Amino acid sequence: MEELSHYIDGQRVKGKSGRFGDVYNPATGEVQARVPLATAEEVNEAVAKAAEAQVAWAATNPQRRARVMMALGRLIVENMDTLAEAVSREHGKTLPDGRGDVQRGLEVVEVCMGTPALLKGEFTSDGGPGIDLYSMRQPLGVVAGITPFNFPAMIPLWKLAPAISCGNAMVLKPSERCPSAPLLVADLLKEAGLPDGVLQIVNGDKEAVDAILDNETIQGVAFVGSTPIAEYIYSRACSNGKRAQCFGGAKNHMIVMPDADLDKAADALVGSGYGAAGERCMAVSVAVPVGDRTADALIERLVPRIEKLKVGPYTAGEDVDFGPLITKASKERVAGLIDKGVDQGATLVTDGRDFALQGYEDGFFVGATLFDNVTAEMDIYKEEVFGPVLSQVRTESYEDALKLTMDNTYGNGTAIFTADGDAARDFANRVNVGMVGINFPIPVPLSYYTFGGWKRSAFGDLNQYGPDAFRFYTRTKTVTARWFSGIKEGGEFAFKPMD
């Protein structure tokens, strides 16, 4: 069985704790590797080495740091299939989804190639008599990233690329369920010219997380995961004087107006609701048709599309629509929420609980599940399912649909499908959600904008990637300068104050 490692000072090293986590093949249920779980002492050692490396890295000019990102981008393209296979092997998502995972991370790396422009400060000449003012952006020092299992390449790249480009050193703690892709990225960064020690990877569980949060050298923490953990990390990091951005769960609604193209809406719901087995924070898990006629017509279109979905292991080929969930516990949790939906009175239209695949009976599969007549009081609506389950909540009017979305505790992403520009514009302006799609089901902004939710989907003032990332990973320093005039007297400069 493969034994994975940490990445310290530019090389892979074995763990010292003697504790390991199991890395499963989600399609078979078998353990395929072990990953070491770091002690607090190992985390602190990694941080100390990162601090040593960061001094020289911060003194490296931004253009040279950007060249490392340029080389990394090229290497990611050259190794796309290797990275995607590592993602799919440990997560279970299809190879096209694995490639998409890597691609969206690559796009943030590409933005970081413009680091010199993104780190430019401001300048005011003659702000007062002979006085100039200017600002500069300087790195925080050592920062940490704590990333989830559902995007094993994308989110680590979202964190480490801007952090490193800004002149910081980063200590990354990826998910212990999917650790291989970040280790491969670290190898590529070394090949791209990143100095040893600027990126450290420590695998671990809560002990490693708490060590990161309590380490005085670490100045900033970036996290993606569930809302309870996001809130815990944000609170503990802030109480220890650290800057923190923590992104949590979601319950993304898609309003379907009576004038919408229902075939396109149904295609969008199937792709966004069941892709990656629903294990993504931008999955649409709630369809909100306006009017019973719209709701009935939408169900008629959804059912045949759902029945055609192919579920299987990533090794089955490119035509598999989605794979298994990440763990047996995840499968049991999703099945339990489906049970609650039935018990609480929702109409179960398609049932994925008993899905079985010959030869993969021990895999963590759940088939595509569709509920109708869900209400806001039901657990299947209130909780983030994080599985291939779509719930339809019927509403009588646009205002009811908007209110349902706005009253939800989460505010990550939302969408509206309509042919009415006025309705779309009103929705985008009024809805209290961070990312909005108009006839677009998964409104993840392109990497030169910024990604982030509202309400209990996010904790902290700045979002991920784009300009906000460069703000998060730097401090602003403002300088007020006055120079005295030099008057040449007898071949010498005599400096006198200006009048």
Side-chain angles (χ1 to χ4, degrees):
M1 182 184 299
E2 183 181 9
E3 186 172 307
L4 299 172
S5 59
H6 306 301
Y7 185 88
I8 307 296
D9 250 4
Q11 59 185 332
R12 299 195 184 198
V13 300
K14 292 183 177 181
K16 302 175 183 177
S17 70
R19 296 191 307 123
F20 293 88
D22 290 333
V23 180
Y24 285 89
N25 178 337
T28 64
E30 297 173 342
V31 177
Q32 59 181 327
R34 298 197 310 165
V35 61
L37 303 177
T39 63
E41 182 180 0
E42 288 177 285
V43 171
N44 292 335
E45 289 174 358
V47 172
K49 291 181 180 297
E52 292 175 7
Q54 190 269 336
V55 176
W57 180 242
T60 302
N61 71 60
Q63 189 169 358
R64 292 184 180 276
R65 299 200 299 259
R67 287 173 185 160
V68 173
M69 292 297 120
M70 293 176 192
L72 175 62
R74 173 179 54 80
L75 290 168
I76 288 174
V77 171
E78 292 174 0
N79 292 273
M80 176 68 72
D81 288 343
T82 300
L83 288 163
E85 200 276 337
V87 168
S88 296
R89 183 178 68 247
E90 293 178 350
H91 177 276
K93 64 176 68 178
T94 66
L95 277 172
D97 269 348
R99 284 191 286 271
D101 188 321
V102 179
Q103 177 64 35
R104 291 311 300 262
L106 170 62
E107 290 167 7
V108 171
V109 173
E110 290 170 339
V111 169
C112 292
M113 297 175 190
T115 291
L118 289 162
L119 289 180
K120 287 192 301 184
E122 298 174 317
F123 183 88
T124 298
S125 176
D126 294 319
I131 297 172
D132 299 327
L133 294 94
Y134 60 94
S135 65
M136 60 183 80
R137 306 200 71 88
Q138 295 186 326
L140 299 180
V142 179
V143 297
I146 303 170
T147 58
F149 71 83
N150 60 325
F151 285 94
M154 181 186 81
I155 297 180
L157 285 167
W158 283 10
K159 301 303 185 188
L160 66 86
I164 289 171
S165 296
C166 288
N168 300 287
M170 169 162 272
V171 177
L172 178 69
K173 197 221 77 76
S175 170
E176 64 274 22
R177 299 172 187 172
C178 300
S180 290
L183 290 169
L184 289 171
V185 169
D187 292 337
L188 296 181
L189 266 168
K190 182 179 178 71
E191 186 177 347
L194 185 71
D196 293 346
V198 176
L199 174 65
Q200 314 273 29
I201 297 179
V202 288
N203 293 295
D205 51 12
K206 187 176 184 298
E207 181 177 349
V209 170
D210 287 345
I212 286 170
L213 298 176
D214 294 340
N215 186 287
E216 294 182 357
T217 301
I218 292 175
Q219 299 298 301
V221 177
F223 170 83
V224 177
S226 69
T227 288
I229 305 303
E231 188 169 27
Y232 167 78
I233 289 176
Y234 182 76
S235 299
R236 188 157 174 169
C238 290
S239 69
N240 284 327
K242 303 183 192 307
R243 183 177 294 185
Q245 55 166 206
C246 299
F247 297 91
K251 197 73 180 182
N252 303 320
H253 298 61
M254 188 176 114
I255 294 175
V256 182
M257 298 292 287
D259 63 359
D261 184 320
L262 294 184
D263 287 314
K264 286 186 170 60
D267 288 339
L269 284 167
V270 170
S272 60
Y274 301 113
E279 290 181 318
R280 50 191 181 193
C281 68
M282 290 298 286
V284 172
S285 56
V286 184
V288 190
V290 175
D292 284 337
R293 289 183 61 183
T294 307
D296 291 341
L298 194 57
I299 289 290
E300 289 177 3
R301 286 164 171 80
L302 285 171
V303 171
R305 287 168 167 81
I306 291 170
E307 290 174 344
K308 291 179 182 178
L309 290 174
K310 295 181 179 179
V311 184
Y314 81 93
T315 52
E318 300 282 325
D319 61 343
V320 174
D321 292 296
F322 67 88
L325 297 178
I326 186 70
T327 62
K328 183 179 180 180
S330 296
K331 175 181 177 178
E332 291 172 348
R333 179 180 175 277
V334 171
L337 283 168
I338 297 172
D339 292 341
K340 286 185 177 181
V342 174
D343 293 342
Q344 293 170 359
T347 303
L348 186 58
V349 181
T350 64
D351 187 354
R353 288 173 294 182
D354 296 327
F355 178 85
L357 189 64
Q358 186 175 0
Y360 296 90
E361 289 83 2
D362 294 327
F364 310 137
F365 292 97
V366 174
T369 299
L370 174 64
F371 277 107
D372 193 7
N373 298 307
V374 174
T375 67
E377 294 75 31
M378 295 178 181
D379 289 336
I380 196 70
Y381 173 80
K382 290 188 293 185
E383 295 194 32
E384 183 181 27
V385 179
F386 228 59
V389 180
L390 178 64
S391 297
Q392 178 163 280
V393 180
R394 296 175 178 236
T395 56
E396 294 182 1
S397 68
Y398 164 73
E399 289 294 335
D400 290 340
L402 177 61
K403 185 177 187 302
L404 179 78
T405 306
M406 294 183 69
D407 286 349
N408 193 270
T409 188
Y410 296 112
N412 210 42
T414 188
I416 186 170
F417 270 61
T418 182
D420 186 337
D422 287 339
R425 190 171 186 274
D426 181 79
F427 180 74
N429 285 336
R430 291 171 61 192
V431 72
N432 57 351
V433 174
M435 293 170 282
V436 180
I438 297 173
N439 297 318
F440 199 91
I442 305 180
V444 176
L446 292 174
S447 53
Y448 43 86
Y449 278 77
T450 189
F451 179 108
W454 291 10
K455 296 184 282 187
R456 289 187 60 77
S457 290
F459 300 86
D461 296 330
L462 293 170
N463 289 339
Q464 301 183 88
Y465 67 70
D468 266 15
F470 283 78
R471 296 185 186 103
F472 178 78
Y473 289 116
T474 59
R475 293 187 179 97
T476 301
K477 181 182 288 183
T478 306
V479 178
T480 303
R482 182 174 67 182
W483 293 95
F484 300 105
S485 62
I487 301 173
K488 195 169 185 178
E489 295 180 353
E492 301 291 337
F493 279 95
F495 292 94
K496 299 179 179 179
M498 295 181 64
D499 294 331

